[in-house]
Amino acid sequence: MAEDNQEWLTSLRTKIDGIDEHIQSLITQRAAIANEVAQSKSKAESGGFYYRPEREAQVLRAVKERNEGPLSDEALVRLFKEIMSACLAQQKPLNIAFLGPEGTFSEMATYRYFGHSVKAMPEATIDRVFAEVEAGVADFGVVPIENSTEGAVNNTLDMFINSPLKICGELDFPIHHNLMSKQESLENIQVIFSHRQSLAQCRMWLREHAPHIDTMAVNSNAEAARKASYNEHAAAIAGASAAAMYGLKILHKDIEDQTDNATRFLVIGKQLLAPSGDDKSSLMVAAKDEPGVLFHILRPLNDQGISMTRIESRPSKKNKWDYVFFIDVEGHVEDPQLSNAISEMQRYTSNLHILGSYPKSV
Ligand SMILES: O=C(O)C(=O)C[C@]1(C(=O)O)C=C[C@@H](O)C=C1
């Protein structure tokens, strides 16, 4: 019986070896063709941009459409992202600035969006991420824009008021928090470190499972894990990569209060993208000081049948009680309906700035 099983296992592994050979040969062929595409870009249209988020989004959507299991859409998308990431890096790996330090969700989101064949550059603040992209040190930046539990990241919104950068992509990244420590249990733990937002996202879990343990907010989840790594009486709430980085044991997985807790990240760069077929656009609008002005600004969207997915207001920081609105809509600015709506909106705005049109998160 055991021998039969061994034989069966060997035959299955031989099949896998054959398939792997096939996959490898196909990936190699694909990489050679991607190289040819890159060479044609260096001669032609691209303005030096090899990375094409709109094309990648189309490739990934096709992967999802073809998928009949057993692998999940998410798993297949991740694999194909890595393939494209490696194909692109043949030219030159992209430099990507993100809100660091290493071990944060921003770093995980960076690799999820761009794959691992990039040079990820941790920056201390959101301002620094913008500055590195503006200066051309980084090709793109990754910044958080909103969390499903905690709302907008105002620092990021405010940066757009004075920055020339464009939005080139978005990523809805599921955030799963873990309680981690050097210890095997919570028994001797006196303090739990984490970022303020993460503590808020695990409020109910903490109340139920650790009511007598102090919590302390620190600058990042990675910093929390680092502190817990040299304090016998401490634990941290952070992502799984921080546990691996600082040698901590995960005592409780997925402790976020909302199981679909997610953060939306934006990819910022200098490119204006061509339509991908399923896009969103972000507008920044300074309203004229007139009665009913917001109604007039939004009405053209309704008239053209365009869905607005989000609106946020922020003080303009120019005059007291002067606001700018950040408006996300479905569609690309090259779509006639959206471009008509924008022309109409401009009648009621003192300034309308297109922050970018980019593929919806795949
Ligand atoms: O289609 C292109 O423009 C390519 O460069 C090829 C490719 C790919 O591997 O599929 C690689 C990099 C781009 O970001 C998009 C796609």
Side-chain angles (χ1 to χ4, degrees):
M1 199 62 198
E3 238 167 62
D4 279 359
N5 200 28
Q6 188 57 42
E7 246 173 55
W8 186 54
L9 186 61
T10 307
S11 82
L12 291 179
R13 285 188 174 150
T14 308
K15 274 190 198 164
I16 286 184
D17 288 343
I19 292 171
D20 285 350
E21 211 179 308
H22 202 48
I23 294 174
Q24 189 175 344
S25 150
L26 291 173
I27 291 177
T28 307
Q29 287 175 43
R30 189 190 192 286
I33 295 174
N35 236 340
E36 280 181 49
V37 175
Q39 269 151 30
S40 81
K41 281 183 195 165
S42 62
K43 292 191 200 111
E45 28 89 53
S46 71
F49 294 126
Y50 293 104
Y51 174 61
R52 300 308 272 264
E54 74 281 15
R55 169 66 185 152
E56 295 205 1
Q58 288 164 350
V59 171
L60 297 174
R61 278 181 213 135
V63 165
K64 275 169 92 168
E65 255 161 48
R66 283 192 298 263
N67 184 26
E68 292 178 347
L71 291 181
S72 65
D73 283 359
E74 199 198 321
L76 273 180
V77 161
R78 212 179 301 170
L79 287 171
F80 273 81
K81 272 214 170 143
E82 290 298 344
I83 292 173
M84 286 193 282
S85 180
C87 285
L88 182 67
Q90 294 178 102
Q91 303 303 310
K92 178 182 147 316
L94 293 173
N95 288 334
I96 314 294
F98 69 95
L99 179 62
E102 284 157 329
T104 54
F105 287 110
S106 291
E107 184 188 43
M108 289 162 81
T110 299
Y111 286 124
R112 177 69 62 85
Y113 191 85
F114 286 99
H116 281 73
S117 301
V118 294
K119 182 165 177 267
M121 303 162 33
E123 300 297 333
T125 60
I126 289 173
D127 302 35
R128 290 295 314 154
V129 176
F130 274 75
E132 293 294 85
V133 183
E134 282 175 26
V137 178
D139 299 295
F140 294 94
V142 174
V143 285
I145 185 76
E146 62 177 322
N147 174 266
S148 57
T149 320
E150 291 299 297
V153 180
N154 290 331
N155 273 0
T156 300
L157 286 175
D158 289 347
M159 284 307 296
F160 284 110
I161 297 176
N162 292 315
S163 172
L165 293 182
K166 301 284 171 207
I167 302 174
C168 302
E170 64 164 4
L171 175 70
D172 270 326
F173 189 72
I175 300 285
H176 297 297
H177 288 301
N178 305 281
L179 189 87
M180 55 191 69
S181 173
K182 281 270 174 210
Q183 306 297 327
E184 299 288 339
S185 79
L186 278 182
E187 209 175 326
N188 293 316
I189 298 298
Q190 291 163 1
V191 59
I192 298 174
F193 296 114
S194 196
H195 188 267
R196 179 179 51 80
Q197 286 228 354
S198 307
L199 290 172
Q201 289 165 24
C202 302
R203 204 177 284 133
M204 272 154 29
W205 190 93
L206 286 167
R207 203 179 300 147
E208 194 175 325
H209 296 92
H212 305 301
I213 305 179
D214 286 339
T215 56
M216 195 177 285
V218 293
N219 279 340
S220 70
N221 294 330
E223 171 68 3
R226 193 182 65 80
K227 277 176 162 306
S229 71
Y230 59 75
N231 182 337
E232 295 293 309
H233 298 292
I237 294 176
S241 69
M245 183 171 289
Y246 292 101
L248 300 177
K249 294 177 208 88
I250 293 184
L251 306 182
H252 297 275
K253 260 171 81 95
D254 301 343
I255 62 168
E256 60 279 358
D257 297 333
Q258 282 187 12
T259 48
D260 56 356
N261 184 34
T263 293
R264 191 167 151 253
F265 289 88
L266 294 181
V267 176
I268 50 172
K270 293 179 174 167
Q271 257 169 290
L272 269 174
L273 308 183
S276 76
D278 192 12
D279 298 292
K280 264 165 98 167
S281 296
S282 296
L283 312 174
M284 186 174 72
V285 169
K288 289 182 180 163
D289 187 11
E290 287 171 12
V293 71
L294 189 55
F295 171 77
H296 290 300
I297 289 175
L298 298 181
R299 196 175 56 184
L301 295 172
N302 183 56
D303 293 348
Q304 296 287 337
I306 294 166
S307 318
M308 182 177 74
T309 54
R310 179 166 185 249
I311 182 164
E312 296 282 346
S313 69
R314 293 290 300 151
S316 71
K317 304 205 166 77
K318 291 195 176 108
N319 301 308
K320 192 171 152 194
W321 309 132
D322 198 17
Y323 286 89
V324 290
F325 296 97
F326 291 88
I327 300 171
D328 286 355
V329 293
E330 302 232 342
H332 192 282
V333 288
E334 288 179 16
D335 297 346
Q337 294 90 328
L338 185 52
S339 102
N340 288 341
I342 288 173
S343 305
E344 187 61 20
M345 289 163 90
Q346 274 164 334
R347 293 176 48 192
Y348 298 94
T349 57
S350 53
N351 193 357
L352 188 153
H353 189 65
I354 296 165
L355 296 177
S357 289
Y358 47 91
K360 282 189 199 161
S361 184
V362 184

